Amino acid sequence: MLDKKITRSEFLKIAGFGIFTVFILPGLKKLDLFKKSHKEAKYYKKLAG
């Protein structure tokens, strides 16, 4: 399939990037500060009446 051999460091870079995208990016989306502050503002507006 692939004629080019992949070195260990290249493999580790690709694997690290894969792990980064799978675990860290969804966490960053959850920490989306703009949406969160907007929701909190709506919540406090309801509380105030």
Side-chain angles (χ1 to χ4, degrees):
M1 205 159 125
L2 289 173
D3 293 335
K4 182 185 174 242
K5 286 194 173 183
I6 189 165
T7 62
R8 184 181 172 135
S9 62
E10 285 176 335
F11 173 77
L12 290 174
K13 282 181 192 173
I14 294 167
F17 183 72
I19 291 169
F20 174 80
T21 54
V22 169
F23 290 108
I24 296 175
L25 287 180
L28 289 175
K29 285 183 181 175
K30 285 181 185 175
L31 290 173
D32 197 342
L33 297 172
F34 297 109
K35 288 183 181 177
K36 187 178 178 190
S37 62
H38 187 68
K39 284 181 183 175
E40 285 179 359
K42 279 187 176 178
Y43 172 74
Y44 288 121
K45 215 174 193 179
K46 280 185 182 178
L47 268 180

